[in-house]
Amino acid sequence: MPIWDQSGCVVITCRKQASCNSQARNTFSERTDGTPYLSASPKQAEQPLHGNGPWSCSGVIVDQRQGIVLCHGSVFLPFLLNDIDLVCLEQKQLLLPENLSHDLVVNIQCATENKKKEYTKSNIHMDIGAGNPDLGVIALSNEGGLQRRAKQHEAQLLMMVPCKEFQNTFHKLFSKAESWSFSSEEDKLDHNELEKDLHFLHWFAVLKTTHKGDSGSAEMKFMQASSLHKGDVLFTCGSPFGFFYPDIFLNTLSKGVVSNVAGEGNAVILTDSRCLPGTEGGGAYTICEGSLVLVGIIVVPLCWKANEWIGLTVLCSVSQILENVKMVLPVLSRPLIDMWPRMMLKPKFSMESELSSNLIQHLTSAAVLVDCGHVWGSGVIVNTRTVLTCRHVVSGASRILVRRRYQTVGGLHRHIRCNNTVIWIILLQKRHLVSQCQVMEHGAGDDDVAHLLRFHAVRGKVVFATKEYSPFDIAVVELEKSFPGFIEPALGSAYTTGDDVGIIAFGAFGTQCGPSVTSGILSAVIEVNNVPVMLQSTCAVHSGSSGGPLFNTRTRELLGIVASNTRDNSVGATYPHLNFSVPITLMQPGLSQYYKSKDLRGFEELDWTSDSVRAAWRLQRKPKQINMSKL
């Protein structure tokens, strides 16, 4: 059994008078034609927040031999005693079973598998690679019955601990002012209970189950999240819809990359691996030395910003969670203290990644934030003094600042060269120290010091922007001076549908944690008269990503400039995984001419396009030819 299936489980909580085996009513509704469809998860279907349950989330069996399970704390929220309010909860470092209702019942469901196939390091890539039939849909009807079954075991809550590092970083990234939401409109609870849920996001539960792995169970390996780089491959494993139909949904695997990291020890991890409600508490794994290692726990599978679906999943570093567990061990009983030395974090020796850290550093060095004061977007440096972005990002802006984040090595910031003066950055007791003249020069206070150390801003002016009637949403910004350490990207010359691509942009989080990386494929190349005029990809794109670079992750070539994603105005839904970019091949003639003579006529040709190109970008069908009247 693969490690994610061997260690994944569903955690179910309920009261003694309620059966943890019961299925929530109205889990299935009927269409108008009488066929059923899934309408709600058991956690949400006609169950009051402080009702009997059952409640469920995903979990990870972190120690097979001793039956230790780690999961998210949300399913225990309804069982908190009434004397624990939000203020009291913020001050606590530990919750024990006596802090919860005495009639709490906990069970876990884990997989039992009859397959004879053995999973080893040598075939791990084959098993989780694209096109492997083992990851396909298992037929509901076959001679031998279902190949996997979920078995239920009793469990007990040992303790609940908060991860303060996650909480502090989370609230900085997802500020209320930016209208972040973590549940869809139809699934939202009333305001007070939703607020309580958000205060509980950083709590995690440790359980002990009666289920024990066999003698051949693989030992769970952990990795410090501080070893992660943007673009590293991540696999997430959780059970959509909780305990509903575990024979089908238990331990569903998804694949993505590390989109961004933030906080102490990378406590908050963002990934574009697609997760669903019910996967909270599931594990996030990366590949180290040929095997999967646990690096994070799923906290928030869905994110909206101002009613726009972001398409990213929020994880908490498992190493930070375990460090918080170790901090409270001295106040616990001896049996609990004795079991934890087994769970030592495994050092990372090497990382096998489709997007290597060197590649991501190379690509992110070209990605910039284009700040126009009232609006901001993304851009890409294509020459020491030239930035490409979107027309709608810089439209009407009289003052433009182009911000680029400095790369870091081993957690220490490189030196910054500013005005021909090298200023060395020293990290001492987690405080950034810079010379006072540098802070005063930028007009920054103490609160802005950390921001100064991460970003370098250069003024720029718009030298060209396509007309409003042009289908190509492109602008050219000329910088007053060059960014140090910039590596000019190679420009692509050909496009192949199905190629692995990535988008690096400042959407959603701006300068708070640098550009985010999302992965996908080049899903379509739209041509007019055999000339590519539009690129379509499956990378997650959202507000603020406009102008960001679309790269081929294998060749490292710049393929295009992100112009838009897709929105259905009839229902107000935005689809981040369906987006469009302007091919770089259309801009290469203009760039060559501009580099040589500052002549912009090569770009001006983008304003004069055929009706077919306009129709493609406006998502309109080509008008049918109308026969002329003989009258």
Side-chain angles (χ1 to χ4, degrees):
M1 194 185 304
I3 188 66
W4 68 84
D5 218 6
Q6 180 178 304
S7 60
C9 65
V10 173
V11 178
I12 310 166
T13 60
C14 63
R15 299 184 187 276
K16 285 183 179 179
Q17 62 266 31
S19 171
C20 286
N21 292 313
S22 63
Q23 295 283 352
R25 291 181 298 162
N26 290 342
T27 299
F28 280 93
S29 298
E30 284 191 350
R31 303 181 190 272
T32 54
D33 62 359
T35 59
Y37 73 100
L38 187 65
S39 61
S41 67
K43 177 180 175 180
Q44 297 165 336
E46 295 194 359
Q47 294 290 347
L49 183 64
H50 291 285
N52 294 329
W55 307 85
S56 65
C57 71
S58 300
V60 181
I61 306 174
V62 293
D63 192 316
Q64 293 279 345
R65 296 177 178 85
Q66 300 192 65
I68 303 300
V69 177
L70 182 64
C71 73
H72 195 250
S74 58
V75 292
F76 295 93
L77 176 61
F79 304 94
L80 285 176
L81 297 179
N82 293 330
D83 60 345
I84 300 180
D85 56 20
L86 291 180
V87 176
C88 181
L89 195 63
E90 290 292 329
Q91 299 172 348
K92 284 187 172 293
Q93 299 296 322
L94 174 69
L95 288 174
L96 294 172
E98 53 261 35
N99 299 122
L100 281 76
S101 175
H102 69 280
D103 57 355
L104 169 66
V105 176
V106 185
N107 284 291
I108 72 161
Q109 290 177 337
C110 55
T112 60
E113 195 167 48
N114 297 324
K115 293 182 180 180
K116 296 181 179 180
K117 180 177 181 181
E118 295 182 358
Y119 287 79
T120 62
K121 291 182 179 181
S122 61
N123 63 17
I124 185 171
H125 290 288
M126 179 180 63
D127 290 329
I128 54 184
N132 184 354
D134 286 346
L135 293 183
V137 177
I138 299 174
L140 292 180
S141 177
N142 55 58
E143 294 181 0
L146 284 172
Q147 290 182 286
R148 61 187 300 188
R149 296 285 184 184
K151 190 173 182 180
Q152 187 158 297
H153 306 271
E154 294 181 356
Q156 66 177 116
L157 175 67
L158 299 181
M159 59 181 144
M160 298 179 65
V161 294
C163 182
K164 293 293 185 180
E165 298 84 0
F166 176 90
Q167 182 191 32
N168 295 336
T169 306
F170 182 89
H171 286 299
K172 291 177 182 178
L173 290 180
F174 301 94
S175 63
K176 290 183 179 179
E178 293 181 317
S179 302
W180 283 97
S181 176
F182 307 102
S183 59
S184 59
E185 289 295 330
E186 60 269 22
D187 294 335
K188 278 186 179 179
L189 306 172
D190 70 84
H191 174 73
N192 292 332
E193 301 301 352
L194 179 60
E195 181 183 4
K196 192 176 293 184
D197 275 350
L198 292 178
H199 279 79
F200 212 67
L201 284 179
H202 64 295
W203 281 87
F204 299 88
V206 180
L207 316 174
K208 185 175 179 61
T209 176
T210 56
H211 169 68
K212 300 291 190 298
D214 55 39
S215 58
S217 298
E219 182 182 359
M220 175 64 70
K221 296 180 180 180
F222 304 88
M223 194 182 78
Q224 296 277 4
S226 56
S227 298
L228 289 175
H229 298 90
K230 295 179 185 179
D232 287 341
V233 173
L234 278 186
F235 295 92
T236 54
C237 179
S239 301
F241 316 117
F243 72 98
F244 173 75
Y245 216 145
D247 288 345
I248 298 297
F249 295 114
L250 180 67
N251 298 337
T252 299
L253 196 66
S254 184
K255 180 182 178 181
V257 300
V258 176
S259 294
N260 219 322
V261 289
E264 181 180 346
N266 292 342
V268 175
I269 307 165
L270 301 169
T271 177
D272 60 357
S273 178
R274 303 182 193 181
C275 300
L276 293 174
T279 59
E280 298 92 337
Y285 304 82
T286 190
I287 302 173
C288 184
E289 294 195 327
S291 61
L292 288 180
V293 294
L294 184 67
V295 70
I297 299 295
I298 301 170
V299 177
V300 180
L302 300 175
C303 298
W304 279 262
K305 182 180 180 182
N307 296 322
E308 178 189 11
W309 180 34
I310 297 302
L312 298 180
T313 295
V314 183
L315 314 172
C316 179
S317 162
V318 70
S319 56
Q320 292 289 348
I321 298 172
L322 296 181
E323 286 299 324
N324 281 277
V325 171
K326 292 175 184 177
M327 288 176 59
V328 301
L329 285 180
V331 302
L332 301 177
S333 62
R334 172 52 55 182
L336 280 176
I337 297 176
D338 291 340
M339 71 174 59
W340 281 93
R342 294 177 52 83
M343 303 183 59
M344 301 298 292
L345 292 173
K346 303 296 181 181
K348 172 190 169 184
F349 296 103
S350 63
M351 174 67 70
E352 299 176 25
S353 173
E354 291 182 0
L355 299 178
S356 69
S357 58
N358 289 335
L359 172 60
I360 291 303
Q361 289 184 7
H362 170 73
L363 300 184
T364 53
S365 71
V368 293
L369 184 141
V370 180
D371 187 351
C372 302
H374 57 294
V375 296
W376 55 267
S378 302
V380 57
I381 312 174
V382 291
N383 185 265
T384 54
R385 295 278 185 96
T386 308
V387 171
L388 290 178
T389 185
C390 286
R391 176 189 61 229
H392 72 265
V393 172
V394 299
S395 179
S398 58
R399 177 178 176 269
I400 294 177
L401 279 179
V402 177
R403 303 181 188 273
R404 174 170 171 258
R405 185 171 185 176
Y406 288 100
Q407 305 301 312
T408 59
V409 177
L412 298 177
H413 288 266
R414 293 177 180 172
H415 64 275
I416 299 176
R417 184 177 298 275
C418 182
N419 295 334
N420 297 319
T421 301
V422 176
I423 301 176
W424 290 93
I425 307 307
I426 304 172
L427 296 181
L428 179 61
Q429 296 179 348
K430 302 180 182 179
R431 295 187 61 185
H432 298 283
L433 305 178
V434 304
S435 63
Q436 186 66 26
C437 62
Q438 176 77 352
V439 176
M440 294 179 62
E441 177 185 347
H442 287 77
D446 291 339
D447 294 337
D448 297 320
V449 171
H451 176 78
L452 272 176
L453 299 178
R454 293 194 303 268
F455 284 88
H456 184 197
V458 173
R459 290 185 177 88
K461 64 177 181 179
V462 179
V463 295
F464 174 80
T466 52
K467 304 296 184 183
E468 290 290 339
Y469 56 76
S470 173
F472 300 121
D473 188 352
I474 290 296
V476 180
V477 175
E478 182 179 318
L479 302 176
E480 289 185 357
K481 58 183 179 180
S482 303
F483 282 107
F486 162 70
I487 302 175
E488 185 173 326
L491 304 186
S493 58
Y495 309 100
T496 303
T497 301
D499 276 354
D500 290 326
V501 296
I503 288 175
I504 303 178
F506 287 82
F509 301 103
T511 60
Q512 294 182 79
C513 54
S516 296
V517 181
T518 55
S519 61
I521 64 169
L522 191 61
S523 52
V525 179
I526 291 82
E527 297 182 345
V528 174
N529 296 325
N530 296 322
V531 176
V533 297
M534 174 193 285
L535 305 179
Q536 179 182 313
S537 87
T538 61
C539 303
V541 164
H542 28 76
S543 297
S545 299
S546 297
L550 172 72
F551 281 96
N552 183 308
T553 58
R554 180 179 58 84
T555 64
R556 306 187 182 190
E557 293 176 331
L558 174 63
L559 300 182
I561 304 300
V562 178
S564 65
N565 55 16
T566 307
R567 181 177 178 83
D568 186 344
N569 290 326
S570 63
V571 296
T574 301
Y575 306 103
H577 297 285
L578 180 59
N579 52 81
F580 307 99
S581 299
V582 180
I584 193 65
T585 49
L586 294 177
M587 293 169 272
Q588 284 185 9
L591 287 171
S592 298
Q593 193 171 6
Y594 182 67
Y595 294 159
K596 293 177 181 179
S597 61
K598 299 297 181 180
D599 190 342
L600 293 168
R601 283 179 293 181
F603 288 112
E604 292 172 354
E605 294 182 3
L606 296 176
D607 290 329
W608 307 103
T609 59
S610 67
D611 291 338
S612 297
V613 176
R614 297 176 191 275
W617 273 97
R618 293 172 183 171
L619 304 184
Q620 298 173 345
R621 293 184 181 275
K622 185 177 180 180
K624 293 182 179 179
Q625 184 176 359
I626 302 176
N627 294 327
M628 298 296 293
S629 172
K630 295 181 180 180
L631 297 178

